[in-house]
Amino acid sequence: RVRRLKDAGVLERQIWLVNAPALGIKVYVYASVKLATHDAKAVTQFREQIKIWPEVMECYVLLGAIDVLVKIAVRDIQCYEDFFFKKLSQLPGVREVNSSVVMSEIKKTASLPVSPQ
């Protein structure tokens, strides 16, 4: 069954979920980013740079008032400050960043809401 799901493209890859606090990662930040411009060159530069930073866990382009939502994992708030000032805010085309620090986790899952067939 697993082989069939892999062949059908339903299963992409097998992963291990890592205990972040065991590695010293204790702070998660969601950064809402507004871009100054939406031209192809600027957006491509933003996308390519954000992909290579290990602190970035997820990144989504949004419709609406915010252009990009970035989930960032760091050891502590000082590490986020360094990330913000040395990396994120320095990206060409970034006009504004609003950061929200996670205080506590209510639900976290990697499972999709799929019913058995």
Side-chain angles (χ1 to χ4, degrees), residues 5-77:
L5 292 170
K6 284 182 180 179
D7 291 345
V10 174
L11 299 178
E12 292 182 1
R13 63 182 185 254
Q14 188 172 346
I15 63 167
W16 286 94
L17 298 178
V18 177
N19 180 333
L23 296 176
I25 297 170
K26 298 177 183 164
V27 174
Y28 292 93
V29 178
Y30 285 86
S32 301
V33 179
K34 290 185 183 180
L35 300 175
T37 180
H38 296 95
D39 67 83
K41 183 179 178 184
V43 171
T44 298
Q45 285 179 327
F46 180 89
R47 287 176 186 240
E48 293 306 313
Q49 186 60 54
I50 208 89
K51 286 179 187 179
I52 65 172
W53 289 332
E55 299 92 343
V56 174
M57 295 187 65
E58 301 173 30
C59 182
Y60 303 97
V61 175
L62 306 177
L63 290 174
I66 303 301
D67 295 312
V68 180
L69 181 64
V70 184
K71 181 180 180 184
I72 301 154
V74 289
R75 291 183 177 275
D76 54 38
I77 202 67

Side-chain angles (χ1 to χ4, degrees), residues 54-113:
E55 299 92 343
V56 174
M57 295 187 65
E58 301 173 30
C59 182
Y60 303 97
V61 175
L62 306 177
L63 290 174
I66 303 301
D67 295 312
V68 180
L69 181 64
V70 184
K71 181 180 180 184
I72 301 154
V74 289
R75 291 183 177 275
D76 54 38
I77 202 67
Q78 180 62 50
C79 289
Y80 178 68
E81 184 178 359
D82 291 344
F83 176 83
F84 175 81
F85 284 115
K86 294 176 182 173
K87 293 181 178 179
L88 187 59
S89 67
Q90 298 304 307
L91 278 176
V94 170
R95 181 177 72 193
E96 183 179 327
V97 177
N98 289 299
S99 303
S100 297
V101 178
V102 173
M103 291 180 14
S104 63
E105 184 177 281
I106 296 171
K107 179 179 179 179
K108 180 180 180 181
T109 183
S111 300
L112 293 173

